Amino acid sequence: MQTGTCGKNLIWSFDDGTLTICGEGVMEDFSDDRKAPWDKFKFNAIKKIIVEDGATSIGDEAFSRCFLLTCVVISNSVISLGDGAFSF
């Protein structure tokens, strides 16, 4: 399992094809200049994304280019979806 931060009070973890976001608050924005910390898994490993209760936003381009993605679970606490969050 690999883990890290993706916001002031948000933590990400990746294990067995599933990327989980937990904690509270706003997710950082990402772009071509500022890659998401899970970027190395995007193209060939992320199959499921879970954004748990407490997260209030999904950052710009956070999950873009997750080509194998087949399932997304987003809690009701998320009230903002960034530009291109799930593009491509």
Side-chain angles (χ1 to χ4, degrees):
M1 177 185 300
Q2 295 198 24
T3 65
T5 61
C6 57
K8 186 175 181 181
N9 295 305
L10 289 179
I11 297 171
W12 66 273
S13 63
F14 180 75
D15 188 37
D16 196 29
T18 300
L19 177 66
T20 303
I21 309 296
C22 63
E24 294 185 1
V26 175
M27 181 185 288
E28 297 172 11
D29 289 327
F30 305 101
S31 66
D32 289 336
D33 295 332
R34 186 163 186 286
K35 304 287 185 198
W38 48 82
D39 203 61
K40 62 184 169 185
F41 307 115
K42 282 182 167 183
F43 303 106
N44 61 5
I46 296 175
K47 297 176 184 174
K48 181 177 185 177
I49 295 171
I50 301 170
V51 181
E52 295 183 348
D53 191 43
T56 58
S57 73
I58 295 174
D60 293 352
E61 298 185 32
F63 307 123
S64 66
R65 297 176 183 89
C66 290
F67 297 124
L68 299 181
L69 188 62
T70 59
C71 180
V72 177
V73 178
I74 301 174
S75 75
N76 290 335
S77 64
V78 174
I79 57 173
S80 175
L81 185 63
D83 291 338
F86 290 95
S87 62
F88 303 103

